[in-house]
Amino acid sequence: MNEQGHLAEFLQARRSRLRPEDVGLRTYGERRRVPGLRREELAMLAGISAPYYTRLEQGQSRNASREVLDAVANALRLDDSERAHLHTLAGAPRRRGPGARPRPERVTPATSALLAALDGTPAVVLGRRSDVLAWNRPGHGLFAGHLDPDSPNDPGRRPNMAGLVFLDAHTRDLYADWPAKARAVVGSLRLTAGRYPDDPLLAALVGELTMRSREFATLWADHRVLACDVADYEMRHPLVGTVTVTQQTLQSPQGDGPTLVVATADPGSPSAAALALLAHATAPRETDRPHRGAATRTA
């Protein structure tokens, strides 16, 4: 994965989706070889020279000012997430030799304590590549009850949420509007790829999903980005039935650590009752608890 390639592909994808009539340009009926705006048209809208924009789109200019990037973002009609993504791609440092292998991701004691405090609420801790680092019992029951609950403890067996969404039949059936969930997953991965262009594990994940899922490949090629801090999903759960949840993603203040995804429902709603039933169903049984006398030495 290469940050110059990311920048070029992102700008080209966004430019190709704008038609001249979308931005008030007259074409006088001429035929166009490729869809979307031409580079010189976009440069004119942004108030910069066509050669300069061409260099920027080709990744040959790495010193674009914030004002120039904002002008390009305005011309492309980017939303806030896309605008931030453009700044990230344009400001990424040039790669200098092979990158070091990323350090293993771990759950901090503070995050573990927070996860324990949310004992009755479905919660999952995700790494930056959407690997499941930890979950509480309701979180496991809601998102992946068909998987081994201890699998996040083994780095070699950790589920990957992006992989589950695209490659796992249970997870696909779980979401009533699967395409919306799929777009959200890809949009979030795009943001991560912009922040970490030299991450080999992320590149491997994207490569695997591209090879194994045509739907992922199509969405990835679209270069959409999406910050999914809060999203509502209707889930068709095999144990508690249809439930509408709000999935909130809580990021560390530094923005570079694991994220905590929490699923809640409107208080007093049937979905809240369904989540309460799920919490009860996944609560530890008495047979799971150690007996006080188990360690007593017999005579």
Side-chain angles (χ1 to χ4, degrees), residues 1-63:
M1 301 173 75
N2 179 282
E3 70 273 6
Q4 296 182 40
H6 277 312
L7 177 60
E9 292 170 359
F10 178 69
L11 290 174
Q12 290 166 11
R14 285 294 165 271
R15 180 167 57 83
S16 69
R17 294 174 60 184
L18 279 179
R19 299 173 300 174
E21 54 267 32
D22 294 335
V23 294
L25 294 178
R26 300 184 64 179
T27 61
Y28 302 99
E30 76 267 23
R31 297 183 62 182
R32 295 185 169 228
R33 292 180 299 173
V34 295
L37 295 179
R38 294 167 176 158
R39 285 173 176 165
E40 58 269 23
E41 291 171 336
L42 184 62
M44 179 188 68
L45 292 171
I48 59 179
S49 71
Y52 181 82
Y53 175 76
T54 298
R55 293 195 301 271
L56 179 65
E57 188 174 283
Q58 293 177 343
Q60 298 173 1
S61 177
R62 309 300 301 177
N63 59 352

Short mmCIF file of all heavy atoms in Angstrom, two decimals, residues 1-63:
data_model
loop_
_atom_site.label_atom_id
_atom_site.label_comp_id
_atom_site.label_asym_id
_atom_site.label_seq_id
_atom_site.Cartn_x
_atom_site.Cartn_y
_atom_site.Cartn_z
N MET A 1 0.86 -1.19 0.00
CA MET A 1 0.00 0.00 0.00
C MET A 1 0.89 1.23 0.00
O MET A 1 1.85 1.31 0.73
CB MET A 1 -0.92 -0.02 1.22
CG MET A 1 -1.81 -1.25 1.28
SD MET A 1 -2.76 -1.38 2.80
CE MET A 1 -3.99 -0.14 2.52
N ASN A 2 0.54 2.22 -0.82
CA ASN A 2 1.40 3.37 -1.04
C ASN A 2 0.58 4.64 -0.92
O ASN A 2 -0.47 4.78 -1.54
CB ASN A 2 2.03 3.26 -2.44
CG ASN A 2 2.92 4.44 -2.76
OD1 ASN A 2 2.44 5.50 -3.09
ND2 ASN A 2 4.22 4.21 -2.65
N GLU A 3 1.07 5.60 -0.11
CA GLU A 3 0.27 6.79 0.13
C GLU A 3 0.08 7.63 -1.12
O GLU A 3 -0.95 8.27 -1.31
CB GLU A 3 0.86 7.63 1.28
CG GLU A 3 2.18 8.33 0.99
CD GLU A 3 3.37 7.44 1.28
OE1 GLU A 3 3.16 6.26 1.59
OE2 GLU A 3 4.51 7.93 1.18
N GLN A 4 1.08 7.66 -2.04
CA GLN A 4 0.91 8.39 -3.27
C GLN A 4 -0.19 7.75 -4.12
O GLN A 4 -1.00 8.44 -4.73
CB GLN A 4 2.23 8.44 -4.04
CG GLN A 4 3.34 9.21 -3.31
CD GLN A 4 4.61 9.27 -4.13
OE1 GLN A 4 4.57 9.46 -5.32
NE2 GLN A 4 5.74 9.12 -3.46
N GLY A 5 -0.19 6.43 -4.17
CA GLY A 5 -1.24 5.73 -4.90
C GLY A 5 -2.61 5.98 -4.30
O GLY A 5 -3.59 6.17 -5.02
N HIS A 6 -2.70 5.99 -2.97
CA HIS A 6 -3.96 6.28 -2.30
C HIS A 6 -4.47 7.66 -2.69
O HIS A 6 -5.65 7.83 -3.00
CB HIS A 6 -3.77 6.23 -0.78
CG HIS A 6 -3.83 4.85 -0.21
ND1 HIS A 6 -4.83 3.95 -0.51
CD2 HIS A 6 -3.01 4.21 0.67
CE1 HIS A 6 -4.63 2.83 0.15
NE2 HIS A 6 -3.54 2.96 0.87
N LEU A 7 -3.60 8.66 -2.66
CA LEU A 7 -4.01 10.03 -2.98
C LEU A 7 -4.49 10.12 -4.42
O LEU A 7 -5.55 10.70 -4.69
CB LEU A 7 -2.84 10.99 -2.74
CG LEU A 7 -3.10 12.47 -3.09
CD1 LEU A 7 -4.25 13.02 -2.27
CD2 LEU A 7 -1.83 13.29 -2.89
N ALA A 8 -3.72 9.56 -5.34
CA ALA A 8 -4.10 9.62 -6.75
C ALA A 8 -5.43 8.93 -6.99
O ALA A 8 -6.32 9.47 -7.66
CB ALA A 8 -3.00 9.00 -7.61
N GLU A 9 -5.58 7.73 -6.44
CA GLU A 9 -6.80 6.97 -6.67
C GLU A 9 -8.01 7.65 -6.03
O GLU A 9 -9.11 7.65 -6.60
CB GLU A 9 -6.64 5.56 -6.12
CG GLU A 9 -5.64 4.71 -6.90
CD GLU A 9 -5.32 3.42 -6.20
OE1 GLU A 9 -5.86 3.19 -5.10
OE2 GLU A 9 -4.52 2.63 -6.74
N PHE A 10 -7.82 8.24 -4.85
CA PHE A 10 -8.92 8.92 -4.19
C PHE A 10 -9.38 10.13 -4.99
O PHE A 10 -10.59 10.31 -5.24
CB PHE A 10 -8.49 9.35 -2.78
CG PHE A 10 -9.53 10.11 -2.02
CD1 PHE A 10 -10.68 9.48 -1.57
CD2 PHE A 10 -9.38 11.46 -1.76
CE1 PHE A 10 -11.66 10.18 -0.88
CE2 PHE A 10 -10.33 12.17 -1.05
CZ PHE A 10 -11.48 11.53 -0.61
N LEU A 11 -8.44 10.96 -5.44
CA LEU A 11 -8.81 12.14 -6.22
C LEU A 11 -9.45 11.75 -7.55
O LEU A 11 -10.43 12.35 -7.98
CB LEU A 11 -7.57 13.01 -6.46
CG LEU A 11 -7.02 13.73 -5.23
CD1 LEU A 11 -5.72 14.45 -5.56
CD2 LEU A 11 -8.04 14.73 -4.67
N GLN A 12 -8.90 10.75 -8.21
CA GLN A 12 -9.46 10.31 -9.48
C GLN A 12 -10.87 9.77 -9.31
O GLN A 12 -11.77 10.05 -10.12
CB GLN A 12 -8.56 9.25 -10.11
CG GLN A 12 -7.22 9.78 -10.60
CD GLN A 12 -6.23 8.67 -10.89
OE1 GLN A 12 -6.59 7.49 -10.92
NE2 GLN A 12 -4.98 9.04 -11.11
N ALA A 13 -11.07 8.98 -8.25
CA ALA A 13 -12.40 8.42 -8.01
C ALA A 13 -13.41 9.51 -7.74
O ALA A 13 -14.54 9.47 -8.26
CB ALA A 13 -12.34 7.42 -6.85
N ARG A 14 -13.02 10.50 -6.92
CA ARG A 14 -13.96 11.57 -6.62
C ARG A 14 -14.22 12.45 -7.84
O ARG A 14 -15.35 12.88 -8.09
CB ARG A 14 -13.42 12.42 -5.45
CG ARG A 14 -13.58 11.72 -4.11
CD ARG A 14 -15.07 11.58 -3.79
NE ARG A 14 -15.28 10.64 -2.71
CZ ARG A 14 -15.46 9.33 -2.88
NH1 ARG A 14 -15.41 8.81 -4.08
NH2 ARG A 14 -15.69 8.53 -1.86
N ARG A 15 -13.21 12.72 -8.62
CA ARG A 15 -13.38 13.55 -9.82
C ARG A 15 -14.28 12.85 -10.84
O ARG A 15 -15.10 13.50 -11.51
CB ARG A 15 -12.00 13.86 -10.42
CG ARG A 15 -12.03 14.70 -11.68
CD ARG A 15 -10.65 15.22 -12.02
NE ARG A 15 -9.67 14.16 -12.19
CZ ARG A 15 -9.51 13.46 -13.32
NH1 ARG A 15 -10.27 13.70 -14.37
NH2 ARG A 15 -8.58 12.52 -13.41
N SER A 16 -14.14 11.53 -10.96
CA SER A 16 -14.92 10.80 -11.96
C SER A 16 -16.40 10.77 -11.63
O SER A 16 -17.23 10.52 -12.51
CB SER A 16 -14.39 9.37 -12.10
OG SER A 16 -14.67 8.61 -10.92
N ARG A 17 -16.76 11.03 -10.38
CA ARG A 17 -18.16 10.96 -9.97
C ARG A 17 -18.89 12.29 -10.09
O ARG A 17 -20.10 12.35 -9.88
CB ARG A 17 -18.24 10.45 -8.53
CG ARG A 17 -17.77 9.00 -8.40
CD ARG A 17 -17.70 8.55 -6.98
NE ARG A 17 -19.00 8.63 -6.34
CZ ARG A 17 -19.23 8.36 -5.06
NH1 ARG A 17 -18.22 8.00 -4.30
NH2 ARG A 17 -20.42 8.44 -4.56
N LEU A 18 -18.16 13.35 -10.43
CA LEU A 18 -18.79 14.65 -10.62
C LEU A 18 -19.01 14.90 -12.11
O LEU A 18 -18.07 14.82 -12.90
CB LEU A 18 -17.92 15.76 -10.03
CG LEU A 18 -17.99 16.02 -8.53
CD1 LEU A 18 -17.04 17.13 -8.16
CD2 LEU A 18 -19.41 16.37 -8.10
N ARG A 19 -20.23 15.22 -12.48
CA ARG A 19 -20.52 15.56 -13.86
C ARG A 19 -20.45 17.08 -14.02
O ARG A 19 -20.69 17.83 -13.07
CB ARG A 19 -21.90 15.05 -14.26
CG ARG A 19 -22.07 13.54 -14.16
CD ARG A 19 -23.51 13.15 -14.39
NE ARG A 19 -24.39 13.78 -13.40
CZ ARG A 19 -25.72 13.71 -13.44
NH1 ARG A 19 -26.32 13.05 -14.42
NH2 ARG A 19 -26.45 14.31 -12.51
N PRO A 20 -20.12 17.53 -15.22
CA PRO A 20 -20.06 19.00 -15.43
C PRO A 20 -21.33 19.71 -15.01
O PRO A 20 -21.29 20.78 -14.40
CB PRO A 20 -19.81 19.11 -16.94
CG PRO A 20 -19.10 17.85 -17.30
CD PRO A 20 -19.70 16.79 -16.43
N GLU A 21 -22.48 19.12 -15.33
CA GLU A 21 -23.75 19.77 -14.96
C GLU A 21 -23.95 19.82 -13.45
O GLU A 21 -24.72 20.66 -12.95
CB GLU A 21 -24.93 19.06 -15.62
CG GLU A 21 -25.01 17.57 -15.37
CD GLU A 21 -24.33 16.75 -16.44
OE1 GLU A 21 -23.33 17.23 -17.02
OE2 GLU A 21 -24.80 15.62 -16.70
N ASP A 22 -23.27 18.94 -12.71
CA ASP A 22 -23.38 18.97 -11.24
C ASP A 22 -22.78 20.24 -10.66
O ASP A 22 -23.17 20.67 -9.57
CB ASP A 22 -22.68 17.76 -10.63
CG ASP A 22 -23.37 16.44 -10.98
OD1 ASP A 22 -24.57 16.47 -11.27
OD2 ASP A 22 -22.69 15.40 -10.96
N VAL A 23 -21.80 20.80 -11.35
CA VAL A 23 -21.09 21.98 -10.83
C VAL A 23 -21.32 23.21 -11.71
O VAL A 23 -20.60 24.20 -11.58
CB VAL A 23 -19.58 21.68 -10.71
CG1 VAL A 23 -19.32 20.62 -9.66
CG2 VAL A 23 -18.99 21.24 -12.05
N GLY A 24 -22.32 23.15 -12.58
CA GLY A 24 -22.68 24.32 -13.38
C GLY A 24 -21.81 24.58 -14.60
O GLY A 24 -21.79 25.72 -15.10
N LEU A 25 -21.10 23.57 -15.09
CA LEU A 25 -20.28 23.75 -16.29
C LEU A 25 -21.06 23.29 -17.52
O LEU A 25 -21.74 22.27 -17.50
CB LEU A 25 -18.97 22.93 -16.17
CG LEU A 25 -17.99 23.35 -15.09
CD1 LEU A 25 -16.79 22.42 -15.09
CD2 LEU A 25 -17.54 24.80 -15.28
N ARG A 26 -20.92 24.05 -18.60
CA ARG A 26 -21.57 23.70 -19.86
C ARG A 26 -20.62 22.89 -20.72
O ARG A 26 -19.43 23.21 -20.83
CB ARG A 26 -22.02 24.96 -20.60
CG ARG A 26 -23.01 25.82 -19.80
CD ARG A 26 -23.50 27.00 -20.61
NE ARG A 26 -24.26 26.56 -21.79
CZ ARG A 26 -24.82 27.41 -22.66
NH1 ARG A 26 -24.68 28.73 -22.49
NH2 ARG A 26 -25.48 26.94 -23.70
N THR A 27 -21.13 21.86 -21.33
CA THR A 27 -20.28 20.98 -22.15
C THR A 27 -20.53 21.11 -23.63
O THR A 27 -19.77 20.59 -24.44
CB THR A 27 -20.51 19.51 -21.75
OG1 THR A 27 -21.89 19.17 -22.00
CG2 THR A 27 -20.19 19.28 -20.29
N TYR A 28 -21.61 21.76 -24.03
CA TYR A 28 -21.93 21.99 -25.44
C TYR A 28 -22.04 20.68 -26.23
O TYR A 28 -21.76 20.63 -27.42
CB TYR A 28 -20.89 22.91 -26.10
CG TYR A 28 -20.78 24.26 -25.41
CD1 TYR A 28 -19.75 24.49 -24.49
CD2 TYR A 28 -21.71 25.26 -25.65
CE1 TYR A 28 -19.66 25.71 -23.84
CE2 TYR A 28 -21.63 26.48 -24.99
CZ TYR A 28 -20.60 26.70 -24.09
OH TYR A 28 -20.51 27.91 -23.44
N GLY A 29 -22.41 19.62 -25.52
CA GLY A 29 -22.70 18.36 -26.18
C GLY A 29 -21.52 17.56 -26.66
O GLY A 29 -21.69 16.55 -27.36
N GLU A 30 -20.27 17.94 -26.29
CA GLU A 30 -19.14 17.16 -26.78
C GLU A 30 -19.06 15.82 -26.06
O GLU A 30 -19.48 15.68 -24.92
CB GLU A 30 -17.82 17.94 -26.58
CG GLU A 30 -17.30 17.96 -25.15
CD GLU A 30 -17.76 19.18 -24.36
OE1 GLU A 30 -18.80 19.76 -24.74
OE2 GLU A 30 -17.10 19.53 -23.38
N ARG A 31 -18.52 14.85 -26.76
CA ARG A 31 -18.37 13.51 -26.19
C ARG A 31 -17.11 13.44 -25.33
O ARG A 31 -16.09 14.04 -25.65
CB ARG A 31 -18.29 12.47 -27.30
CG ARG A 31 -19.56 12.39 -28.15
CD ARG A 31 -19.44 11.28 -29.18
NE ARG A 31 -19.29 9.98 -28.54
CZ ARG A 31 -19.12 8.84 -29.20
NH1 ARG A 31 -19.05 8.85 -30.54
NH2 ARG A 31 -19.00 7.70 -28.56
N ARG A 32 -17.21 12.70 -24.24
CA ARG A 32 -16.09 12.58 -23.31
C ARG A 32 -15.62 11.15 -23.27
O ARG A 32 -16.43 10.21 -23.20
CB ARG A 32 -16.50 13.04 -21.90
CG ARG A 32 -16.84 14.53 -21.89
CD ARG A 32 -17.12 15.04 -20.49
NE ARG A 32 -17.16 16.50 -20.54
CZ ARG A 32 -16.51 17.30 -19.70
NH1 ARG A 32 -15.79 16.77 -18.73
NH2 ARG A 32 -16.58 18.60 -19.82
N ARG A 33 -14.32 10.97 -23.26
CA ARG A 33 -13.75 9.64 -23.26
C ARG A 33 -13.91 8.96 -21.90
O ARG A 33 -14.02 7.74 -21.82
CB ARG A 33 -12.27 9.68 -23.64
CG ARG A 33 -12.02 10.08 -25.09
CD ARG A 33 -10.54 10.11 -25.39
NE ARG A 33 -9.84 11.08 -24.55
CZ ARG A 33 -8.51 11.21 -24.52
NH1 ARG A 33 -7.75 10.41 -25.25
NH2 ARG A 33 -7.95 12.13 -23.75
N VAL A 34 -13.87 9.73 -20.82
CA VAL A 34 -13.99 9.18 -19.48
C VAL A 34 -15.07 9.94 -18.73
O VAL A 34 -15.34 11.11 -19.03
CB VAL A 34 -12.64 9.27 -18.71
CG1 VAL A 34 -11.60 8.39 -19.36
CG2 VAL A 34 -12.16 10.71 -18.64
N PRO A 35 -15.71 9.29 -17.75
CA PRO A 35 -16.77 9.97 -16.99
C PRO A 35 -16.19 11.01 -16.04
O PRO A 35 -15.02 10.96 -15.67
CB PRO A 35 -17.44 8.84 -16.22
CG PRO A 35 -16.36 7.81 -16.06
CD PRO A 35 -15.55 7.89 -17.32
N GLY A 36 -17.03 11.94 -15.67
CA GLY A 36 -16.65 12.92 -14.66
C GLY A 36 -15.96 14.15 -15.21
O GLY A 36 -15.89 14.36 -16.43
N LEU A 37 -15.46 14.96 -14.29
CA LEU A 37 -14.78 16.19 -14.66
C LEU A 37 -13.38 15.91 -15.18
O LEU A 37 -12.73 14.95 -14.78
CB LEU A 37 -14.68 17.12 -13.44
CG LEU A 37 -15.97 17.67 -12.85
CD1 LEU A 37 -15.66 18.55 -11.65
CD2 LEU A 37 -16.78 18.44 -13.88
N ARG A 38 -12.92 16.77 -16.06
CA ARG A 38 -11.53 16.73 -16.48
C ARG A 38 -10.68 17.44 -15.44
O ARG A 38 -11.16 18.24 -14.64
CB ARG A 38 -11.39 17.42 -17.84
CG ARG A 38 -12.10 16.69 -18.96
CD ARG A 38 -12.21 17.53 -20.21
NE ARG A 38 -12.80 16.78 -21.31
CZ ARG A 38 -13.40 17.33 -22.36
NH1 ARG A 38 -13.47 18.66 -22.44
NH2 ARG A 38 -13.91 16.58 -23.32
N ARG A 39 -9.39 17.12 -15.47
CA ARG A 39 -8.48 17.72 -14.49
C ARG A 39 -8.49 19.24 -14.58
O ARG A 39 -8.50 19.93 -13.56
CB ARG A 39 -7.06 17.19 -14.70
CG ARG A 39 -6.85 15.76 -14.20
CD ARG A 39 -5.49 15.26 -14.59
NE ARG A 39 -5.23 13.92 -14.05
CZ ARG A 39 -4.25 13.14 -14.45
NH1 ARG A 39 -3.43 13.55 -15.42
NH2 ARG A 39 -4.07 11.96 -13.91
N GLU A 40 -8.47 19.77 -15.80
CA GLU A 40 -8.43 21.22 -15.94
C GLU A 40 -9.72 21.88 -15.45
O GLU A 40 -9.70 23.01 -14.95
CB GLU A 40 -8.16 21.61 -17.40
CG GLU A 40 -9.16 21.09 -18.42
CD GLU A 40 -8.78 19.75 -19.00
OE1 GLU A 40 -8.01 19.02 -18.34
OE2 GLU A 40 -9.25 19.44 -20.12
N GLU A 41 -10.84 21.15 -15.56
CA GLU A 41 -12.11 21.69 -15.05
C GLU A 41 -12.11 21.74 -13.53
O GLU A 41 -12.55 22.73 -12.92
CB GLU A 41 -13.27 20.85 -15.56
CG GLU A 41 -13.50 20.97 -17.06
CD GLU A 41 -14.50 19.96 -17.59
OE1 GLU A 41 -14.67 18.89 -16.95
OE2 GLU A 41 -15.10 20.22 -18.65
N LEU A 42 -11.60 20.68 -12.92
CA LEU A 42 -11.55 20.68 -11.47
C LEU A 42 -10.57 21.74 -10.97
O LEU A 42 -10.83 22.43 -9.97
CB LEU A 42 -11.13 19.30 -10.95
CG LEU A 42 -11.14 19.16 -9.43
CD1 LEU A 42 -12.53 19.36 -8.87
CD2 LEU A 42 -10.61 17.81 -9.00
N ALA A 43 -9.44 21.87 -11.64
CA ALA A 43 -8.46 22.89 -11.26
C ALA A 43 -9.09 24.28 -11.33
O ALA A 43 -8.87 25.12 -10.45
CB ALA A 43 -7.23 22.80 -12.16
N MET A 44 -9.86 24.54 -12.38
CA MET A 44 -10.52 25.84 -12.51
C MET A 44 -11.49 26.07 -11.36
O MET A 44 -11.53 27.16 -10.77
CB MET A 44 -11.27 25.91 -13.84
CG MET A 44 -12.01 27.21 -14.07
SD MET A 44 -13.05 27.16 -15.54
CE MET A 44 -14.29 25.95 -15.02
N LEU A 45 -12.26 25.05 -11.00
CA LEU A 45 -13.20 25.19 -9.89
C LEU A 45 -12.49 25.43 -8.57
O LEU A 45 -12.99 26.15 -7.69
CB LEU A 45 -14.07 23.94 -9.78
CG LEU A 45 -15.06 23.69 -10.92
CD1 LEU A 45 -15.69 22.31 -10.78
CD2 LEU A 45 -16.14 24.77 -10.93
N ALA A 46 -11.29 24.84 -8.42
CA ALA A 46 -10.54 24.99 -7.18
C ALA A 46 -9.70 26.26 -7.17
O ALA A 46 -9.13 26.62 -6.13
CB ALA A 46 -9.63 23.78 -6.96
N GLY A 47 -9.57 26.93 -8.33
CA GLY A 47 -8.79 28.16 -8.39
C GLY A 47 -7.30 27.94 -8.39
O GLY A 47 -6.53 28.77 -7.91
N ILE A 48 -6.85 26.78 -8.93
CA ILE A 48 -5.42 26.49 -9.02
C ILE A 48 -5.11 26.12 -10.47
O ILE A 48 -6.02 25.88 -11.28
CB ILE A 48 -4.99 25.34 -8.08
CG1 ILE A 48 -5.78 24.05 -8.40
CG2 ILE A 48 -5.21 25.74 -6.63
CD1 ILE A 48 -5.40 22.88 -7.53
N SER A 49 -3.84 26.08 -10.81
CA SER A 49 -3.46 25.78 -12.19
C SER A 49 -3.66 24.29 -12.48
O SER A 49 -3.52 23.44 -11.59
CB SER A 49 -2.01 26.17 -12.45
OG SER A 49 -1.13 25.28 -11.78
N ALA A 50 -3.97 24.00 -13.75
CA ALA A 50 -4.16 22.61 -14.15
C ALA A 50 -2.89 21.78 -13.96
O ALA A 50 -2.95 20.65 -13.47
CB ALA A 50 -4.65 22.53 -15.58
N PRO A 51 -1.69 22.30 -14.34
CA PRO A 51 -0.47 21.50 -14.10
C PRO A 51 -0.24 21.20 -12.62
O PRO A 51 0.20 20.11 -12.27
CB PRO A 51 0.65 22.38 -14.68
CG PRO A 51 -0.03 23.23 -15.70
CD PRO A 51 -1.39 23.50 -15.12
N TYR A 52 -0.54 22.18 -11.75
CA TYR A 52 -0.33 21.94 -10.32
C TYR A 52 -1.29 20.86 -9.82
O TYR A 52 -0.90 19.95 -9.08
CB TYR A 52 -0.53 23.22 -9.51
CG TYR A 52 -0.31 23.01 -8.03
CD1 TYR A 52 0.97 23.02 -7.50
CD2 TYR A 52 -1.39 22.77 -7.17
CE1 TYR A 52 1.18 22.80 -6.14
CE2 TYR A 52 -1.19 22.54 -5.82
CZ TYR A 52 0.10 22.56 -5.31
OH TYR A 52 0.31 22.34 -3.98
N TYR A 53 -2.57 20.94 -10.25
CA TYR A 53 -3.51 19.90 -9.81
C TYR A 53 -3.09 18.54 -10.33
O TYR A 53 -3.20 17.53 -9.63
CB TYR A 53 -4.94 20.21 -10.26
CG TYR A 53 -5.86 19.07 -9.91
CD1 TYR A 53 -6.29 18.89 -8.59
CD2 TYR A 53 -6.23 18.12 -10.86
CE1 TYR A 53 -7.08 17.81 -8.24
CE2 TYR A 53 -7.02 17.03 -10.51
CZ TYR A 53 -7.44 16.88 -9.20
OH TYR A 53 -8.20 15.81 -8.84
N THR A 54 -2.60 18.49 -11.57
CA THR A 54 -2.15 17.20 -12.14
C THR A 54 -1.04 16.61 -11.29
O THR A 54 -1.03 15.41 -11.00
CB THR A 54 -1.68 17.40 -13.58
OG1 THR A 54 -2.78 17.88 -14.37
CG2 THR A 54 -1.16 16.09 -14.17
N ARG A 55 -0.08 17.45 -10.90
CA ARG A 55 1.01 16.94 -10.04
C ARG A 55 0.48 16.45 -8.70
O ARG A 55 0.92 15.43 -8.17
CB ARG A 55 2.07 18.03 -9.83
CG ARG A 55 2.84 18.43 -11.08
CD ARG A 55 4.09 19.22 -10.73
NE ARG A 55 3.77 20.44 -10.00
CZ ARG A 55 3.50 21.61 -10.58
NH1 ARG A 55 3.49 21.70 -11.91
NH2 ARG A 55 3.24 22.68 -9.85
N LEU A 56 -0.50 17.18 -8.16
CA LEU A 56 -1.09 16.78 -6.88
C LEU A 56 -1.80 15.44 -7.02
O LEU A 56 -1.63 14.54 -6.19
CB LEU A 56 -2.07 17.85 -6.40
CG LEU A 56 -2.80 17.57 -5.06
CD1 LEU A 56 -1.80 17.54 -3.92
CD2 LEU A 56 -3.87 18.63 -4.82
N GLU A 57 -2.58 15.27 -8.08
CA GLU A 57 -3.32 14.03 -8.27
C GLU A 57 -2.39 12.86 -8.53
O GLU A 57 -2.70 11.71 -8.19
CB GLU A 57 -4.31 14.18 -9.43
CG GLU A 57 -5.25 12.99 -9.56
CD GLU A 57 -6.31 13.21 -10.62
OE1 GLU A 57 -7.28 13.95 -10.33
OE2 GLU A 57 -6.17 12.64 -11.72
N GLN A 58 -1.24 13.13 -9.13
CA GLN A 58 -0.29 12.06 -9.42
C GLN A 58 0.68 11.80 -8.27
O GLN A 58 1.58 10.98 -8.40
CB GLN A 58 0.49 12.42 -10.69
CG GLN A 58 -0.36 12.42 -11.94
CD GLN A 58 0.41 12.84 -13.18
OE1 GLN A 58 1.49 13.43 -13.08
NE2 GLN A 58 -0.14 12.53 -14.35
N GLY A 59 0.48 12.52 -7.16
CA GLY A 59 1.33 12.29 -6.00
C GLY A 59 2.71 12.90 -6.13
O GLY A 59 3.62 12.54 -5.37
N GLN A 60 2.88 13.83 -7.06
CA GLN A 60 4.19 14.44 -7.28
C GLN A 60 4.39 15.74 -6.50
O GLN A 60 5.48 16.28 -6.47
CB GLN A 60 4.38 14.72 -8.78
CG GLN A 60 4.36 13.46 -9.63
CD GLN A 60 4.38 13.78 -11.12
OE1 GLN A 60 4.43 14.95 -11.50
NE2 GLN A 60 4.35 12.75 -11.94
N SER A 61 3.33 16.21 -5.88
CA SER A 61 3.43 17.43 -5.07
C SER A 61 3.05 17.08 -3.64
O SER A 61 1.92 16.69 -3.36
CB SER A 61 2.50 18.52 -5.62
OG SER A 61 2.55 19.67 -4.78
N ARG A 62 4.01 17.21 -2.72
CA ARG A 62 3.78 16.82 -1.33
C ARG A 62 3.76 18.02 -0.39
O ARG A 62 3.85 17.86 0.81
CB ARG A 62 4.88 15.85 -0.87
CG ARG A 62 5.10 14.68 -1.80
CD ARG A 62 3.86 13.83 -1.96
NE ARG A 62 3.39 13.27 -0.70
CZ ARG A 62 2.30 12.55 -0.58
NH1 ARG A 62 1.54 12.31 -1.62
NH2 ARG A 62 1.95 12.07 0.59
N ASN A 63 3.66 19.23 -0.95
CA ASN A 63 3.71 20.43 -0.10
C ASN A 63 2.47 21.29 -0.28
O ASN A 63 2.54 22.51 -0.12
CB ASN A 63 4.97 21.24 -0.39
CG ASN A 63 5.05 21.67 -1.84
OD1 ASN A 63 4.24 21.25 -2.66
ND2 ASN A 63 6.02 22.52 -2.16
#
